PDB file of all heavy atoms in Angstrom:
ATOM      1  N   PRO A  59     -16.087  -1.557   6.762  1.00  0.00           N
ATOM      2  CA  PRO A  59     -15.374  -1.149   5.553  1.00  0.00           C
ATOM      3  C   PRO A  59     -15.154   0.363   5.513  1.00  0.00           C
ATOM      4  O   PRO A  59     -16.012   1.138   5.919  1.00  0.00           O
ATOM      5  CB  PRO A  59     -16.312  -1.599   4.423  1.00  0.00           C
ATOM      6  CG  PRO A  59     -17.045  -2.763   5.008  1.00  0.00           C
ATOM      7  CD  PRO A  59     -17.245  -2.389   6.457  1.00  0.00           C
ATOM      8  N   ARG A  60     -13.971   0.731   5.047  1.00  0.00           N
ATOM      9  CA  ARG A  60     -13.524   2.116   4.886  1.00  0.00           C
ATOM     10  C   ARG A  60     -13.187   2.811   6.211  1.00  0.00           C
ATOM     11  O   ARG A  60     -12.875   3.990   6.221  1.00  0.00           O
ATOM     12  CB  ARG A  60     -14.521   2.937   4.078  1.00  0.00           C
ATOM     13  CG  ARG A  60     -14.663   2.452   2.653  1.00  0.00           C
ATOM     14  CD  ARG A  60     -15.572   3.335   1.831  1.00  0.00           C
ATOM     15  NE  ARG A  60     -15.571   2.932   0.450  1.00  0.00           N
ATOM     16  CZ  ARG A  60     -16.353   1.986  -0.066  1.00  0.00           C
ATOM     17  NH1 ARG A  60     -17.190   1.335   0.705  1.00  0.00           N
ATOM     18  NH2 ARG A  60     -16.282   1.697  -1.343  1.00  0.00           N
ATOM     19  N   TYR A  61     -13.267   2.100   7.326  1.00  0.00           N
ATOM     20  CA  TYR A  61     -12.904   2.662   8.627  1.00  0.00           C
ATOM     21  C   TYR A  61     -11.629   1.986   9.117  1.00  0.00           C
ATOM     22  O   TYR A  61     -11.339   0.845   8.759  1.00  0.00           O
ATOM     23  CB  TYR A  61     -14.027   2.468   9.646  1.00  0.00           C
ATOM     24  CG  TYR A  61     -15.166   3.428   9.433  1.00  0.00           C
ATOM     25  CD1 TYR A  61     -16.212   3.114   8.573  1.00  0.00           C
ATOM     26  CD2 TYR A  61     -15.188   4.663  10.070  1.00  0.00           C
ATOM     27  CE1 TYR A  61     -17.254   3.995   8.361  1.00  0.00           C
ATOM     28  CE2 TYR A  61     -16.226   5.559   9.860  1.00  0.00           C
ATOM     29  CZ  TYR A  61     -17.258   5.218   9.008  1.00  0.00           C
ATOM     30  OH  TYR A  61     -18.284   6.092   8.793  1.00  0.00           O
ATOM     31  N   PRO A  62     -10.863   2.672   9.960  1.00  0.00           N
ATOM     32  CA  PRO A  62      -9.607   2.083  10.435  1.00  0.00           C
ATOM     33  C   PRO A  62      -9.826   0.984  11.467  1.00  0.00           C
ATOM     34  O   PRO A  62     -10.797   1.003  12.219  1.00  0.00           O
ATOM     35  CB  PRO A  62      -8.875   3.273  11.060  1.00  0.00           C
ATOM     36  CG  PRO A  62      -9.952   4.216  11.463  1.00  0.00           C
ATOM     37  CD  PRO A  62     -11.054   4.040  10.463  1.00  0.00           C
ATOM     38  N   ILE A  63      -8.898   0.038  11.472  1.00  0.00           N
ATOM     39  CA  ILE A  63      -8.840  -0.935  12.552  1.00  0.00           C
ATOM     40  C   ILE A  63      -7.947  -0.326  13.640  1.00  0.00           C
ATOM     41  O   ILE A  63      -7.278   0.673  13.395  1.00  0.00           O
ATOM     42  CB  ILE A  63      -8.301  -2.296  12.073  1.00  0.00           C
ATOM     43  CG1 ILE A  63      -6.845  -2.206  11.614  1.00  0.00           C
ATOM     44  CG2 ILE A  63      -9.194  -2.877  10.976  1.00  0.00           C
ATOM     45  CD1 ILE A  63      -6.205  -3.553  11.355  1.00  0.00           C
ATOM     46  N   PRO A  64      -7.920  -0.898  14.828  1.00  0.00           N
ATOM     47  CA  PRO A  64      -7.047  -0.348  15.868  1.00  0.00           C
ATOM     48  C   PRO A  64      -5.580  -0.329  15.423  1.00  0.00           C
ATOM     49  O   PRO A  64      -5.156  -1.153  14.596  1.00  0.00           O
ATOM     50  CB  PRO A  64      -7.254  -1.316  17.042  1.00  0.00           C
ATOM     51  CG  PRO A  64      -8.616  -1.878  16.834  1.00  0.00           C
ATOM     52  CD  PRO A  64      -8.749  -1.995  15.328  1.00  0.00           C
ATOM     53  N   SER A  65      -4.844   0.597  15.993  1.00  0.00           N
ATOM     54  CA  SER A  65      -3.424   0.731  15.658  1.00  0.00           C
ATOM     55  C   SER A  65      -2.643  -0.495  16.145  1.00  0.00           C
ATOM     56  O   SER A  65      -3.117  -1.276  16.973  1.00  0.00           O
ATOM     57  CB  SER A  65      -2.851   1.979  16.320  1.00  0.00           C
ATOM     58  OG  SER A  65      -2.786   1.794  17.730  1.00  0.00           O
ATOM     59  N   LEU A  66      -1.446  -0.624  15.620  1.00  0.00           N
ATOM     60  CA  LEU A  66      -0.563  -1.720  16.021  1.00  0.00           C
ATOM     61  C   LEU A  66      -0.372  -1.724  17.542  1.00  0.00           C
ATOM     62  O   LEU A  66      -0.467  -2.762  18.190  1.00  0.00           O
ATOM     63  CB  LEU A  66       0.774  -1.579  15.292  1.00  0.00           C
ATOM     64  CG  LEU A  66       1.742  -2.736  15.365  1.00  0.00           C
ATOM     65  CD1 LEU A  66       1.131  -4.006  14.823  1.00  0.00           C
ATOM     66  CD2 LEU A  66       2.994  -2.395  14.584  1.00  0.00           C
ATOM     67  N   LYS A  67      -0.144  -0.558  18.093  1.00  0.00           N
ATOM     68  CA  LYS A  67       0.056  -0.453  19.540  1.00  0.00           C
ATOM     69  C   LYS A  67      -1.204  -0.878  20.304  1.00  0.00           C
ATOM     70  O   LYS A  67      -1.123  -1.583  21.314  1.00  0.00           O
ATOM     71  CB  LYS A  67       0.445   0.970  19.908  1.00  0.00           C
ATOM     72  CG  LYS A  67       0.774   1.146  21.369  1.00  0.00           C
ATOM     73  CD  LYS A  67       1.357   2.509  21.646  1.00  0.00           C
ATOM     74  CE  LYS A  67       1.756   2.575  23.103  1.00  0.00           C
ATOM     75  NZ  LYS A  67       2.935   3.360  23.316  1.00  0.00           N
ATOM     76  N   GLN A  68      -2.377  -0.467  19.827  1.00  0.00           N
ATOM     77  CA  GLN A  68      -3.624  -0.864  20.488  1.00  0.00           C
ATOM     78  C   GLN A  68      -3.830  -2.373  20.407  1.00  0.00           C
ATOM     79  O   GLN A  68      -4.272  -2.993  21.383  1.00  0.00           O
ATOM     80  CB  GLN A  68      -4.812  -0.141  19.852  1.00  0.00           C
ATOM     81  CG  GLN A  68      -4.844   1.337  20.153  1.00  0.00           C
ATOM     82  CD  GLN A  68      -5.872   2.068  19.299  1.00  0.00           C
ATOM     83  OE1 GLN A  68      -6.056   1.779  18.123  1.00  0.00           O
ATOM     84  NE2 GLN A  68      -6.542   3.040  19.919  1.00  0.00           N
ATOM     85  N   LEU A  69      -3.515  -2.966  19.264  1.00  0.00           N
ATOM     86  CA  LEU A  69      -3.647  -4.416  19.118  1.00  0.00           C
ATOM     87  C   LEU A  69      -2.660  -5.148  20.024  1.00  0.00           C
ATOM     88  O   LEU A  69      -3.003  -6.165  20.633  1.00  0.00           O
ATOM     89  CB  LEU A  69      -3.459  -4.828  17.658  1.00  0.00           C
ATOM     90  CG  LEU A  69      -4.555  -4.363  16.702  1.00  0.00           C
ATOM     91  CD1 LEU A  69      -4.144  -4.616  15.254  1.00  0.00           C
ATOM     92  CD2 LEU A  69      -5.884  -5.040  17.018  1.00  0.00           C
ATOM     93  N   GLU A  70      -1.441  -4.635  20.125  1.00  0.00           N
ATOM     94  CA  GLU A  70      -0.441  -5.219  21.030  1.00  0.00           C
ATOM     95  C   GLU A  70      -0.963  -5.236  22.464  1.00  0.00           C
ATOM     96  O   GLU A  70      -0.813  -6.232  23.171  1.00  0.00           O
ATOM     97  CB  GLU A  70       0.862  -4.416  20.994  1.00  0.00           C
ATOM     98  CG  GLU A  70       1.697  -4.620  19.774  1.00  0.00           C
ATOM     99  CD  GLU A  70       2.946  -3.762  19.830  1.00  0.00           C
ATOM    100  OE1 GLU A  70       3.836  -4.079  20.651  1.00  0.00           O
ATOM    101  OE2 GLU A  70       3.033  -2.788  19.063  1.00  0.00           O
ATOM    102  N   GLN A  71      -1.569  -4.140  22.879  1.00  0.00           N
ATOM    103  CA  GLN A  71      -2.073  -4.036  24.244  1.00  0.00           C
ATOM    104  C   GLN A  71      -3.286  -4.935  24.475  1.00  0.00           C
ATOM    105  O   GLN A  71      -3.378  -5.603  25.493  1.00  0.00           O
ATOM    106  CB  GLN A  71      -2.416  -2.587  24.577  1.00  0.00           C
ATOM    107  CG  GLN A  71      -1.203  -1.704  24.669  1.00  0.00           C
ATOM    108  CD  GLN A  71      -1.541  -0.225  24.809  1.00  0.00           C
ATOM    109  OE1 GLN A  71      -2.672   0.182  24.620  1.00  0.00           O
ATOM    110  NE2 GLN A  71      -0.533   0.569  25.144  1.00  0.00           N
ATOM    111  N   GLU A  72      -4.215  -4.949  23.525  1.00  0.00           N
ATOM    112  CA  GLU A  72      -5.427  -5.752  23.697  1.00  0.00           C
ATOM    113  C   GLU A  72      -5.139  -7.248  23.741  1.00  0.00           C
ATOM    114  O   GLU A  72      -5.711  -7.976  24.543  1.00  0.00           O
ATOM    115  CB  GLU A  72      -6.425  -5.471  22.575  1.00  0.00           C
ATOM    116  CG  GLU A  72      -7.686  -6.304  22.698  1.00  0.00           C
ATOM    117  CD  GLU A  72      -8.706  -6.057  21.610  1.00  0.00           C
ATOM    118  OE1 GLU A  72      -8.530  -5.142  20.784  1.00  0.00           O
ATOM    119  OE2 GLU A  72      -9.703  -6.808  21.581  1.00  0.00           O
ATOM    120  N   PHE A  73      -4.248  -7.714  22.867  1.00  0.00           N
ATOM    121  CA  PHE A  73      -4.024  -9.146  22.730  1.00  0.00           C
ATOM    122  C   PHE A  73      -2.750  -9.644  23.393  1.00  0.00           C
ATOM    123  O   PHE A  73      -2.513 -10.849  23.435  1.00  0.00           O
ATOM    124  CB  PHE A  73      -4.026  -9.527  21.249  1.00  0.00           C
ATOM    125  CG  PHE A  73      -5.368  -9.370  20.615  1.00  0.00           C
ATOM    126  CD1 PHE A  73      -5.687  -8.206  19.921  1.00  0.00           C
ATOM    127  CD2 PHE A  73      -6.331 -10.355  20.725  1.00  0.00           C
ATOM    128  CE1 PHE A  73      -6.938  -8.049  19.340  1.00  0.00           C
ATOM    129  CE2 PHE A  73      -7.581 -10.207  20.153  1.00  0.00           C
ATOM    130  CZ  PHE A  73      -7.884  -9.050  19.466  1.00  0.00           C
ATOM    131  N   ALA A  74      -1.924  -8.744  23.898  1.00  0.00           N
ATOM    132  CA  ALA A  74      -0.658  -9.110  24.547  1.00  0.00           C
ATOM    133  C   ALA A  74       0.181 -10.014  23.634  1.00  0.00           C
ATOM    134  O   ALA A  74       0.665 -11.058  24.049  1.00  0.00           O
ATOM    135  CB  ALA A  74      -0.912  -9.768  25.901  1.00  0.00           C
ATOM    136  N   LEU A  75       0.321  -9.571  22.394  1.00  0.00           N
ATOM    137  CA  LEU A  75       1.103 -10.312  21.412  1.00  0.00           C
ATOM    138  C   LEU A  75       2.303  -9.489  20.973  1.00  0.00           C
ATOM    139  O   LEU A  75       2.288  -8.260  21.048  1.00  0.00           O
ATOM    140  CB  LEU A  75       0.257 -10.635  20.177  1.00  0.00           C
ATOM    141  CG  LEU A  75      -0.858 -11.656  20.366  1.00  0.00           C
ATOM    142  CD1 LEU A  75      -1.725 -11.712  19.116  1.00  0.00           C
ATOM    143  CD2 LEU A  75      -0.299 -13.027  20.685  1.00  0.00           C
TER     144      LEU A  75
END
Side-chain angles (χ1 to χ4, degrees):
R60 296 184 174 86
Y61 284 88
I63 65 170
S65 69
L66 191 58
K67 184 171 184 145
Q68 290 169 321
L69 293 170
E70 285 179 71
Q71 291 172 348
E72 179 180 353
F73 293 96
L75 291 172

